[in-house]
Amino acid sequence: MLKGKHIILGISGGIAAYKSVYLLRLLIKAGAEVQVVITPSGKEFITPVTLSALSGKPVVSEFFSANTGEWHSHVDLGLWVDAMVIAPATASSIAKMAHGVADNMLITTYLSAKAPVFIAPAMDLDMMAHPSTQHNIELLRSYGNHIIEPGTGELASHLVGKGRMEEPEQIVKVLSDFFSVKKSLRGKKVVITAGPTYEKIDPVRFIGNYSSGKMGYAIAEEAFRRGADVTIVSGPVSVKVSSPDIKVINVESAKEMEAATVAEFAAADIAIMSAAVADYAPSECARSKIKREKDEIPIITLVKNPDIAAELGKKKRTGQLLVGFALETDNVEFNAKDKLARKNLDMIVLNSLQDKGAGFGTDTNKITIFTSDNDRYDFSLKSKPEVAADILDTLINKYLHIDEA
Ligand code: PMT
């Protein structure tokens, strides 16, 4: 999977840098073209001579060559790269990446990279567990980076805990899986609903919910990366897509979402309903702002909104796939399976507010997938981009059986 891929191996200054030599060897062996970018302190742990001998390329560390004055363009590297892996990523480099402190070539390259970035933290257990580091890692995750979690074991300090850089073989596997074309969606049109809907009460107020759109947009990004033609029908969110080739139809109310989704579904192969659609809307929107000064308390009459997923379930043709979500607080499994059947879905993704880190607004989610033929798949707490990959892998393995390898 890595044959011919352009990989930047970023090395920062930690004792685990010795493992990066082996990682570089494995990447080269797998057929990748590797450019090493190392921080000044990285060079204290491992010499550029070893790295350039193994990669067959001069190692990049400074902004320009001291001998010739030649400028090393991080912008060109950012365009050349198919994937960047930073291993080891120290607490300091993680903090700089999270906050855009571009004071060395590794960080400027990271900031310029137009490709997925994989970060393998390595540090002592206390540094790893510190809220600052955890916060910075979460920030990096929320920017769509892939965190390769460190393992637990004996550390350079001889203390035992979490902070060991993941083993090179495993890092190569993560990259290979990422580039695996077996689970491609090339030639498929995918429609994804995302975010909340706003149902107007008056010109300044609405009924809404806490959906941030992160889950739906992560699915859209993952489907796009796998070659699909992707359309998001999006409620009001602040998340943005990474490419102008992902079509976004912005809507506000459930009715608007219904119209756009039904229209897009006609030519779609797959629809994934991750939006948190308001089930009810005010029967009418007051023409002017409802005033507090009035004596009587206003009564807002609600009417049922269309159930978009159920509507698509009725319209679904042979060959079209329909995936719903279930956001539950209790009787979680029963309710999810009930929605699966009632809405004529092929798969339902259950996320429960009983699980810490799952559901609205978080950068993580914990899901269980149920299928219409009674299969069940459980997953651990992961970042939303990783959850998106699990959802699409499950869908493809189960229903599409694409094998382009
Ligand atoms: O956006 P985030 O902050 O990242 O949060 C993600 C999420 C929690 C919103 C997402 O993971 C999720 O669970 N989305 C579905 C939320 C929801 O409304 O669930 P539900 O159980 O009420 O609805 C069941 C299914 O029917 C969903 O696929 C929903 O999109 C769909 N539906 C519901 C009501 C309606 N009127 N029309 C619909 O299409």
Side-chain angles (χ1 to χ4, degrees):
M1 296 307 164
L2 295 179
K3 199 164 187 322
K5 294 285 179 220
H6 294 170
I7 309 281
I8 291 177
L9 173 57
I11 302 177
S12 58
I15 191 71
Y18 79 92
K19 286 191 193 172
S20 309
V21 178
Y22 189 49
L23 173 59
L24 171 58
R25 223 177 100 71
L26 291 178
L27 289 170
I28 298 281
K29 238 174 128 183
E33 208 181 310
V34 184
Q35 174 63 61
V36 176
V37 180
I38 190 165
T39 63
S41 65
K43 287 190 286 187
E44 305 287 334
F45 290 87
I46 181 111
T47 73
V49 178
T50 313
L51 298 164
S52 68
L54 285 173
S55 66
K57 287 180 190 296
V59 169
V60 173
S61 183
E62 314 302 335
F63 290 111
F64 57 87
S65 158
N67 295 337
T68 62
E70 186 198 353
W71 176 250
H72 297 142
S73 171
H74 50 89
V75 176
D76 288 349
L77 279 176
L79 292 171
W80 170 84
V81 68
D82 293 313
M84 180 169 187
V85 53
I86 298 154
T90 59
S92 162
S93 286
I94 285 171
K96 288 180 186 178
M97 283 190 282
H99 299 281
V101 181
D103 67 351
N104 67 46
M105 191 66 187
L106 174 54
I107 310 297
T108 51
T109 306
Y110 160 73
L111 292 173
S112 308
K114 302 260 175 302
V117 178
F118 296 79
I119 299 168
M123 66 198 75
D124 216 39
L125 73 165
D126 297 322
M127 294 173 76
M128 184 70 202
H130 195 282
S132 301
T133 310
Q134 287 302 312
H135 177 66
N136 288 334
I137 288 176
E138 282 321 307
L139 271 179
L140 289 175
R141 216 193 282 276
S142 72
Y143 302 153
N145 297 300
H146 302 257
I147 306 296
I148 304 176
E149 288 291 336
T152 300
E154 188 176 345
L155 303 164
S157 60
H158 301 300
L159 294 172
V160 175
K162 185 171 177 179
R164 279 173 70 90
M165 185 176 101
E166 182 54 279
E167 295 306 323
E169 289 85 352
Q170 191 51 34
I171 296 177
V172 172
K173 182 173 180 309
V174 170
L175 287 170
S176 304
D177 286 352
F178 183 82
F179 284 113
S180 159
V181 289
K182 273 190 190 150
K183 301 200 172 102
S184 145
L185 282 171
R186 214 160 293 140
K188 300 286 176 197
K189 177 172 166 60
V190 182
V191 180
I192 296 153
T193 65
T197 63
Y198 286 179
E199 314 297 332
K200 279 190 173 164
I201 297 170
D202 68 12
V204 299
R205 302 182 180 91
F206 59 85
I207 295 175
N209 59 65
Y210 297 112
S211 173
S212 63
K214 286 178 189 170
M215 189 66 253
Y217 276 65
I219 298 169
E221 293 287 347
E222 184 62 24
F224 179 69
R225 197 183 65 71
R226 293 169 186 233
D229 168 2
V230 178
T231 301
I232 311 181
V233 182
S234 174
V237 295
S238 56
V239 201
K240 298 269 175 287
V241 289
S242 66
S243 163
D245 293 333
I246 300 177
K247 182 173 158 194
V248 182
I249 302 175
N250 290 303
V251 297
E252 195 169 291
S253 65
K255 282 205 174 131
E256 289 168 13
M257 186 172 273
E258 177 197 25
T261 311
V262 168
E264 290 294 320
F265 187 59
D269 301 289
I270 301 166
I272 305 181
M273 315 298 286
S274 77
V277 186
D279 282 314
Y280 299 96
S283 57
E284 54 185 344
C285 170
R287 276 220 240 137
S288 43
K289 186 179 173 189
I290 300 170
K291 293 287 180 203
R292 182 186 164 81
E293 291 75 25
K294 280 191 181 168
D295 280 345
E296 75 274 21
I297 295 180
I299 294 172
I300 298 164
T301 313
L302 299 178
V303 291
K304 259 191 178 176
N305 264 334
D307 185 329
I308 308 167
E311 202 174 329
L312 299 194
K314 285 190 191 129
K315 292 185 188 298
K316 193 170 64 171
R317 301 185 308 268
T318 311
Q320 283 185 309
L321 291 169
L322 182 57
V323 180
F325 269 74
L327 178 66
E328 303 297 340
T329 53
D330 38 51
N331 290 333
V332 297
E333 185 170 337
F334 175 84
N335 288 333
K337 286 181 173 168
D338 177 57
K339 284 174 188 167
L340 173 72
R342 214 162 17 87
K343 302 189 188 212
N344 191 25
L345 308 172
D346 299 289
M347 258 177 45
I348 194 153
V349 181
L350 164 66
N351 40 190
S352 162
L353 292 184
Q354 288 174 0
D355 291 319
K356 199 166 173 283
F360 283 136
T362 50
D363 292 324
T364 51
N365 207 355
K366 183 170 186 305
I367 61 161
T368 300
I369 295 178
F370 299 100
T371 66
S372 54
D373 56 357
N374 298 321
D375 277 349
R376 174 195 177 115
Y377 305 87
D378 290 290
F379 299 88
S380 57
L381 185 74
K382 296 184 182 184
S383 70
K384 282 184 174 165
E386 288 167 328
V387 171
D390 286 340
I391 293 169
L392 294 181
D393 280 348
T394 308
L395 184 77
I396 293 165
N397 286 341
K398 175 107 192 123
Y399 297 103
L400 298 175
H401 310 289
I402 296 172
D403 192 348
E404 300 175 9

